[in-house]
Amino acid sequence: QVQLVESGGGLVQPGGSLKLSCTVSGSITFESSYMAWYRQAPGAQRELVAHINKDYSQAYVDSVKGRFTIFRDNIKNTIYLQMNSLKPDDTAVYYCNDIDEGLNWGQGTQVTVSS
């Protein structure tokens, strides 16, 4: 069974940075996977934040463009989300998933941006 494990969240001041990691284990051809980061703020629906395909092409929701970068390491079966210039509105639980496969969600990692 495929498992998603997110890590790297924490409490950071506005303007700070964090780097999230998502490692995928189990029966999956990771290098072909269309991977994404999502987030869910309190009382809100889960939203797609960024995605990266097997050709390393990236896309971002408008609210994070220029601040967040998604990248992948196919050797480690891991995707990352480098988050810079963080804002309070970025506070949420962050999750990863395979856009095409719709895998079982992991536990997520909490990001809190607050002074």
Side-chain angles (χ1 to χ4, degrees):
Q1 185 172 349
V2 180
Q3 187 175 18
L4 304 169
V5 179
E6 301 94 346
S7 62
L11 172 63
V12 63
Q13 293 187 342
S17 298
L18 283 174
K19 180 183 174 182
L20 307 183
S21 301
C22 164
T23 299
V24 184
S25 62
S27 180
I28 185 172
T29 307
F30 182 81
E31 58 269 25
S32 300
S33 298
Y34 189 3
M35 297 299 299
W37 282 99
Y38 300 78
R39 67 184 179 187
Q40 187 167 20
Q45 290 191 340
R46 191 172 290 166
E47 68 166 341
L48 178 63
V49 175
H51 51 89
I52 183 167
N53 67 11
K54 63 182 178 62
D55 298 320
Y56 297 85
S57 177
Q58 307 155 34
Y60 302 88
V61 67
D62 285 347
S63 60
V64 308
K65 283 181 180 176
R67 300 189 298 122
F68 290 10
T69 303
I70 185 172
F71 54 105
R72 65 192 299 159
D73 183 336
N74 289 341
I75 302 298
K76 296 182 178 179
N77 281 16
T78 299
I79 63 167
Y80 303 92
L81 188 68
Q82 177 65 48
M83 306 187 297
N84 299 327
S85 302
L86 282 160
K87 305 175 181 180
D89 284 350
D90 296 318
T91 295
V93 180
Y94 285 71
Y95 302 87
C96 64
N97 213 320
D98 182 320
I99 288 181
D100 291 331
E101 296 297 326
L103 304 169
N104 290 333
W105 295 98
Q107 82 287 350
T109 186
Q110 175 71 48
V111 172
T112 303
V113 185
S114 175
S115 55

